[in-house]
Amino acid sequence: MDQNRGGERRPGREGGRDVRGGRPERGGRDRGGRDERGGRPDRGSRGGRDDRSSRASGPDDRDAPRRQWVERAPRPRDPELPEGVDAGGLDRSLRTELRTLSKENAEGVGGHLVMVGRALDVEDFDLALAHAEAASRRAGRVAIVRESLGLVHYRRGEWSRALAEFRTARRLSGTHHLLPLMADAERGLGRPERALELAATPEAKTLASAEQVELAIVVAGARGDLGQHAAAVLHLSELVRRTTDRDPWAARLRYAYAAALEADGATDQAQTWYARAAAVDALQETDAAELLGEEEAPWVVDLDDGEDEQADGGGPAAPGAGTRQ
């Protein structure tokens, strides 16, 4: 961006003329274009100076802008990829977005994106950031790369950086699926009104069902931020009653509805909906069970390679033992 716009004068310019290569000041020549000392200056000379001395000494230091040599910081070293980690570990739709890159670069960028996902799964946010930044340095014009970097910042609670990356990813992709995350980042920045504005845009109405639910949860949270707790309950009430146990967003939506009820003073109803959230929260997306004081049943790892009985002979092994993620 040109930082000299807006009426600011450029260095090395006086009175709108470039003193390095434009006309010399009036004191150097008369109106006829002749040198005051007599005769015309040699062609190619500046203000009557000899070309050889001009080439040797360069522009007058008093007129030329000061050149500042800025050393570039060394490029950060990319984190190493474990053996066998490459773009093959991505979904096909994500690999498609990397087709604009060279094959070698696509494999490396894809590997970093795979590692971002793995690091986020175990909440190693520093490692996730290192891989996301490495992918961004190598493919900063690919939407999924910027989206991944934004998601890492979002998980780290770095709302401003997350919002900037989400905006860039949205512009590059031309899609609007990031609106729920963008709205929530606005909440994180203490701007619930902007979150509501994003939710009211025409683009928000084009979102898929899962994204519509996520945006509704954000809107309810924004209403709560503004002290509009009854409005938050009302915003989720119809949606939560249409949701079934099989819907992938059931736990999160019911939890958000319970929280809105609790903030609105409906404590008993809130407990009911916390329980309904916990009942379908197999992936532990919420802390509903913890809020209810429910203790998890112990998990038994079956080490007998398919035996029906547990090692202590106490009965049949628990279904799915040892497979919990």
Side-chain angles (χ1 to χ4, degrees):
M1 182 179 295
D2 190 347
Q3 297 180 353
N4 291 303
R5 294 179 180 176
E8 188 175 345
R9 295 176 59 185
R10 294 178 180 269
R13 300 180 76 91
E14 297 179 0
R17 300 179 185 271
D18 190 343
V19 300
R20 292 169 294 173
R23 295 184 182 179
E25 297 180 358
R26 291 182 179 269
R29 297 185 183 184
D30 62 14
R31 294 185 180 180
R34 298 179 182 273
D35 188 77
E36 292 178 348
R37 293 171 295 179
R40 294 182 179 272
D42 294 335
R43 292 183 179 181
S45 64
R46 297 183 180 181
R49 293 184 180 181
D50 185 13
D51 273 351
R52 290 171 296 178
S53 62
S54 176
R55 292 192 187 102
S57 60
D60 193 332
D61 291 339
R62 292 171 299 178
D63 294 336
R66 295 180 179 273
R67 293 187 176 91
Q68 296 181 356
W69 298 97
V70 180
E71 293 185 3
R72 289 187 177 182
R75 176 175 172 171
R77 183 177 180 181
D78 292 347
E80 293 186 6
L81 293 173
E83 185 176 356
V85 174
D86 53 31
L90 295 175
D91 292 339
R92 180 177 298 178
S93 61
L94 301 184
R95 293 200 302 271
T96 300
E97 292 196 41
L98 303 180
R99 288 181 178 176
T100 58
L101 307 175
S102 67
K103 182 177 180 180
E104 180 181 358
N105 196 27
E107 290 298 327
V109 170
H112 286 299
L113 295 182
V114 169
M115 291 303 300
V116 169
R118 292 183 182 181
L120 288 179
D121 286 343
V122 297
E123 298 187 349
D124 188 343
F125 299 134
D126 290 339
L127 181 61
L129 181 61
H131 282 286
E133 288 179 335
S136 184
R137 285 191 294 269
R138 299 178 63 166
R141 300 298 297 173
V142 177
I144 186 57
V145 171
R146 304 302 290 269
E147 179 178 337
S148 298
L149 180 56
L151 183 59
V152 173
H153 285 306
Y154 177 84
R155 293 286 299 275
R156 290 166 64 94
E158 297 166 350
W159 311 117
S160 182
R161 293 181 178 180
L163 188 58
E165 295 299 330
F166 289 152
R167 285 172 175 165
T168 300
R170 183 187 182 193
R171 184 174 65 253
L172 292 172
S173 68
T175 63
H176 309 294
H177 65 281
L178 291 172
L179 278 176
L181 293 176
M182 293 173 64
D184 204 32
E186 293 284 10
R187 284 188 61 208
L189 290 168
R191 302 189 298 229
E193 297 90 348
R194 294 194 184 181
L196 297 177
E197 290 173 3
L198 282 174
T201 58
E203 293 81 4
K205 296 179 174 59
T206 68
L207 297 176
S209 297
E211 294 152 2
Q212 291 273 9
V213 172
E214 291 299 324
L215 188 57
I217 293 173
V218 174
V219 168
R223 293 293 184 191
D225 295 340
L226 295 169
Q228 302 169 2
H229 303 299
V233 172
L234 182 62
H235 188 74
L236 295 178
S237 58
E238 180 62 26
L239 184 58
V240 77
R241 285 177 171 81
R242 294 201 313 264
T243 297
T244 68
D245 291 355
R246 295 184 300 277
D247 288 324
W249 54 79
R252 286 177 44 75
L253 179 59
R254 292 175 180 179
Y255 184 92
Y257 185 58
L261 287 167
E262 186 175 27
D264 197 36
T267 307
D268 292 341
Q269 294 182 57
Q271 293 298 305
T272 299
W273 283 99
Y274 277 132
R276 292 179 179 179
V280 295
D281 194 6
L283 299 178
Q284 290 188 327
E285 295 179 291
T286 74
D287 61 351
E290 182 180 345
L291 288 176
L292 295 170
E294 296 178 358
E295 295 183 359
E296 297 178 344
W299 291 86
V300 179
V301 179
D302 187 357
L303 301 177
D304 289 340
D305 193 22
E307 291 291 335
D308 289 336
E309 298 294 319
Q310 296 186 38
D312 59 0
T323 62
R324 187 176 176 207
Q325 302 271 328

